[in-house]
Amino acid sequence: MNNELVDVIVKSRTEQGAGVAVIELVSADGKPLPPFSAGAHIDVHIGDDLIRQYSLCSDPVSSDIYRIGVLRDPKSRGGSVKLHAEFSEQQIISISFPRNHFPLNENAQKSILAGGGIGITPMIAMAYTLLRKNEDFELHYCTRTKGAGAFEQELVDTFGKRVVFHHDDEGKSQLFSPQTTFKPVDVNTHIYVCGPTGFMDWVISSASEMGYLPAQIHSEYFNAQVDKTGESFEVYCEQSDVTVMVGSDETIARALRKAGIKVNMSCEEGVCGTCITDVLEGEPEHRDHFLTDEEKADNDQMALCCSRAKSSRLVIDL
Ligand code: FES
């Protein structure tokens, strides 16, 4: 993973929909920005040690500009509120290189993109890519009320009939229905979903119940309520030759930090993947939303910010 930072300038900021800041970023030193693919995100350094992940929602072909959409959410941990209050045009900020944990499947014959609220952002980059490749796709945008969503006019102008809007308050006939949208079940169709946790869980479980395989359902969580507590256990860091006890109400990462071992972290909610570390012995109890079910079953890596242990001891590669 490239941990270098890139300085960028806020080229423009516009307010769209209900509380969404749409921010365009350009290189601060005139060099080209690192290329990215649809589904990628960047870490944005907001200040006061706050780092948040935002999906890139511009056309990946236009790599001279990165665009993000940030929903102001006063109920979140403070990153979006601070960003809304402090980011202005011409400001220089630091971001990570783009990383993509949510790529398009290149073998799909049809792609169904479902974005709930601000979860539309990675879907926009995906839709641009699929349109350029002349692939078969649908883009479903679910919001509470008409006009609440950002990017609406752009989506209509660019994707025409391929985009379908669903609003909670516009009557039953246009509500998003996974059962209708995902029919017929086909092994060559891939589903992509991003948005609030409840929306995502509903879409994913609906698709699974209809017979879609895990490999056909792709998701990216923005945040998650995760219970990090449980029984105490021991962790041995093989590279550092350090053993710590992880208390019932602390995380592995916190216990390691107390022992002087730094763990790279960002979301601390098991959604971004920054703290994923190899497990050499023992059985993790996975609590994250980042690893796939298959990766979790392998038990050879885990998220140190939230996951715990089923065995009394873990050996990790730190
Ligand atoms: S810090 Fe984001 S998954 Fe652990």
Side-chain angles (χ1 to χ4, degrees):
M1 191 162 88
N2 190 335
N3 289 322
E4 276 178 62
L5 294 180
V6 182
D7 282 343
V8 290
I9 300 171
V10 176
K11 176 174 181 268
S12 71
R13 170 181 168 164
T14 55
E15 312 304 313
Q16 293 193 26
V20 178
V22 177
I23 293 174
E24 288 186 320
L25 305 167
V26 294
S27 166
D29 62 7
K31 292 184 187 158
L33 292 169
F36 71 97
S37 54
H41 71 272
I42 52 173
D43 292 349
V44 176
H45 291 244
I46 300 172
D48 297 338
D49 282 339
L50 285 176
I51 304 170
R52 293 291 180 266
Q53 292 73 43
Y54 296 106
S55 297
L56 293 170
C57 60
S58 34
D59 184 348
V61 163
S62 312
S63 61
D64 53 334
I65 283 191
Y66 289 167
R67 184 175 65 166
I68 57 174
V70 182
L71 173 68
R72 187 181 184 279
D73 181 3
K75 286 189 256 151
S76 74
R77 294 168 299 146
S80 67
V81 171
K82 185 171 170 61
L83 185 152
H84 268 253
E86 297 183 5
F87 276 24
S88 55
E89 291 182 2
Q90 299 310 315
Q91 188 170 335
I92 295 181
I93 60 168
S94 294
I95 62 171
S96 69
F97 275 60
R99 289 196 287 274
N100 198 344
H101 305 306
F102 191 36
L104 285 165
N105 182 296
E106 299 203 336
N107 299 319
Q109 287 178 11
K110 179 171 183 178
S111 303
I112 303 176
L113 316 175
I118 197 63
I120 194 67
T121 49
M123 306 302 170
I124 297 174
M126 288 180 174
Y128 272 112
T129 298
L130 292 165
L131 185 69
R132 279 189 190 283
K133 292 165 86 178
N134 204 19
E135 304 268 358
D136 186 7
F137 75 95
E138 296 170 15
L139 173 59
H140 294 265
Y141 189 3
C142 308
T143 58
R144 286 225 166 87
T145 55
K146 199 170 184 178
F151 310 106
E152 288 187 358
Q153 194 58 51
E154 172 185 332
L155 298 185
V156 171
D157 294 346
T158 309
F159 304 115
K161 290 201 171 118
R162 289 181 165 105
V163 61
V164 184
F165 295 94
H166 306 273
H167 308 296
D168 290 354
D169 60 358
E170 292 271 308
K172 266 192 170 170
S173 60
Q174 54 76 62
L175 286 178
F176 181 64
S177 162
Q179 286 76 15
T180 307
T181 306
F182 299 159
K183 248 202 268 181
V185 178
D186 185 316
V187 290
N188 297 310
T189 296
H190 284 248
I191 292 167
Y192 300 82
V193 57
C194 186
T197 306
F199 171 79
M200 293 182 63
D201 291 346
W202 171 59
V203 171
I204 292 167
S205 62
S206 301
S208 299
E209 282 162 20
M210 290 174 73
Y212 281 92
L213 301 171
Q216 293 175 267
I217 306 170
H218 310 269
S219 59
E220 183 161 77
Y221 284 81
F222 281 157
N223 51 39
Q225 298 291 329
V226 53
D227 178 7
K228 302 177 184 175
T229 61
E231 297 288 312
S232 300
F233 55 95
E234 185 179 284
V235 173
Y236 175 62
C237 301
E238 189 167 270
Q239 287 181 43
S240 323
D241 191 21
V242 168
T243 299
V244 297
M245 278 305 292
V246 180
S248 58
D249 59 356
E250 68 181 344
T251 63
I252 297 175
R254 296 278 160 188
L256 292 177
R257 192 174 285 179
K258 278 198 300 196
I261 297 181
K262 185 172 184 304
V263 177
N264 286 329
M265 285 201 291
S266 181
C267 70
E268 297 193 54
E269 294 181 329
V271 296
C272 76
T274 306
C275 67
I276 297 292
T277 301
D278 286 346
V279 177
L280 306 173
E281 280 177 37
E283 189 179 358
E285 184 186 333
H286 299 285
R287 305 267 181 100
D288 66 281
H289 280 83
F290 178 78
L291 296 173
T292 64
D293 288 344
E294 283 170 4
E295 289 168 334
K296 286 177 181 171
D298 287 344
N299 278 335
D300 57 1
Q301 50 184 339
M302 68 184 299
L304 300 185
C305 68
C306 60
S307 292
R308 302 189 67 82
K310 287 184 180 163
S311 51
S312 59
R313 183 173 190 260
L314 293 174
V315 179
I316 60 174
D317 192 17
L318 259 189

